[in-house]
Amino acid sequence: MPGATEESVIEFVCNVCGVKNRCAPAALSYEKPSCSQCQSSVRIRSLLRVLAQEIFGLNLALPDFPRIKSLRGLGTSDHNEYAARLAEKFDYRNTFYHREPRFDIANPPEEEFGKYDFVVSSEVLEHVPPPAEACFEKACRLLKPAGVLILTVPYSLDPATLEHFPQLYEFGLAQLAGRTVLVNRTREGEVQLFEDLRFHSGAGGATLEMREFSECDLKAKLAAAGFCEVRIYSEDYRPFGIVHDASWSLPIAARKGPFALSLDATRDVVEEWRELKLKFNAEMQTLGRSYWFRIGRKLKMF
Ligand SMILES: [Zn+2]
Ligand SMILES: [Zn+2]
């Protein structure tokens, strides 16, 4: 049958490490590693594609990003595989809640406000103690006026967010009859016991799920926090091996204001573009429709 063999194998370039991959479509799951080189999953590749789209308006792979050291980014528990590469391209630093370099997105230092062009928060905000609103609000305040939050969290299409422990105040995990339970003393002094906890496994070990967001509540929380534009990236992008098998828990870009590269950032791009043009002048002629050409066009450099 024509077409059947093409569908049995997907070829894609990993937009995190740049390596070519071939795999069965079924191997492209949201969380399981599918790049043979850097072990990126569909979630990680789509997260990085959202970043490229939001900054450059292009489907650029991370190794092809221009170096823009005047563009400042903040990672919260980002995977080292892409965090290290982001640090090469931008003035980006990765941080963690439980280890150094520490950063608590619910309580960032005042002097951090308004400093970032982008903040990445992937699979973090379902784990922060309530109220989650505080984190959305602080993420927005960390951004410059034209900054963007690149966000993934598991979410449902239900009408409301399911907050598992809404009255969390003084709490801890304990072992009870061989099972992990959560004990909480509410602000009013009532002691609560929660069983059937859900943990997500991540780089830092198993982390307790505090809530399951719903899509409409997420949008409402982002708007209330001060984000003026929220875009859910639901489309597939097969050249990067991004194929979504569900219509929920998709990557989100939340903009504080309309995007504009600063003068410094534009200068960085122009300079790098000029250098490359000198170095690869002949090739640049033939690569008329390459990404450099398109970035140049986008920035009205010619
Ligand atoms: Zn890769
Ligand atoms: Zn999680």
Side-chain angles (χ1 to χ4, degrees), residues 185-205:
R185 180 162 46 217
T186 68
R187 212 172 268 273
E188 292 73 34
E190 183 200 342
V191 175
Q192 303 173 319
L193 178 75
F194 296 94
E195 300 177 83
D196 301 320
L197 308 177
R198 290 177 68 176
F199 290 88
H200 300 180
S201 53

Side-chain angles (χ1 to χ4, degrees), residues 90 105 250 291:
F90 303 129
I105 193 148
L250 298 163
Y291 60 86

Side-chain angles (χ1 to χ4, degrees), residues 114-297:
K115 280 176 80 171
Y116 295 93
D117 294 287
F118 66 91
V119 171
V120 181
S121 172
S122 190
E123 310 299 283
V124 170
L125 297 185
E126 74 272 26
H127 298 292
V128 298
E133 285 82 353
C135 296
F136 290 103
E137 189 210 312
K138 296 293 165 43
C140 192
R141 293 187 66 186
L142 287 166
L143 291 167
K144 292 179 184 174
V148 63
L149 170 68
I150 311 291
L151 173 71
T152 74
V153 286
Y155 66 79
S156 72
L157 303 179
D158 294 343
T161 288
L162 215 63
E163 195 70 54
H164 301 325
F165 323 109
Q167 293 173 286
L168 220 53
Y169 182 55
E170 290 174 317
F171 62 97
L173 297 174
Q175 292 298 313
L176 186 70
R179 296 179 68 189
T180 304
V181 297
L182 184 142
V183 183
N184 176 46
R185 180 162 46 217
T186 68
R187 212 172 268 273
E188 292 73 34
E190 183 200 342
V191 175
Q192 303 173 319
L193 178 75
F194 296 94
E195 300 177 83
D196 301 320
L197 308 177
R198 290 177 68 176
F199 290 88
H200 300 180
S201 53
T207 318
L208 180 64
E209 179 186 285
M210 293 279 181
R211 66 190 59 78
E212 187 185 78
F213 286 106
S214 79
E215 182 187 313
C216 57
D217 183 50
L218 255 182
K219 286 178 172 169
K221 281 184 167 60
L222 287 164
F227 291 97
C228 74
E229 197 187 312
V230 175
R231 179 170 170 205
I232 297 182
Y233 279 73
S234 56
E235 72 275 13
D236 292 345
Y237 190 72
R238 287 176 168 248
F240 287 166
I242 297 168
V243 179
H244 295 295
D245 53 8
S247 54
W248 52 88
S249 302
L250 298 163
I252 296 171
R255 285 212 159 275
K256 189 168 177 177
F259 183 69
L261 273 186
S262 71
L263 272 181
D264 283 345
T266 308
R267 195 175 305 123
D268 282 356
V269 177
V270 172
E271 274 167 13
E272 176 147 344
W273 189 81
R274 283 215 184 105
E275 262 171 44
L276 274 172
K277 194 161 184 279
L278 284 176
K279 216 161 33 176
F280 300 108
N281 199 24
E283 288 94 316
M284 291 298 267
Q285 304 292 333
T286 60
L287 292 175
R289 294 180 58 76
S290 75
Y291 60 86
W292 285 108
F293 182 83
R294 282 178 288 156
I295 287 178
R297 263 294 156 79

Side-chain angles (χ1 to χ4, degrees), residues 11 16 29 44 49 54 56 58 61-62 84 94 100 141 145 186 189 198 201 211 216 220 249 258 260 264 286:
E11 290 188 2
V16 176
S29 93
I44 288 173
R49 175 175 172 260
E54 291 293 323
F56 304 112
L58 297 169
L62 187 38
N94 195 13
E100 296 295 334
R141 293 187 66 186
T186 68
R198 290 177 68 176
S201 53
R211 66 190 59 78
C216 57
S249 302
D264 283 345
T286 60

Side-chain angles (χ1 to χ4, degrees), residues 9-25:
V9 171
I10 282 188
E11 290 188 2
F12 68 92
V13 172
C14 171
N15 58 319
V16 176
C17 69
V19 158
K20 275 189 191 160
N21 284 274
R22 277 169 66 88
C23 69

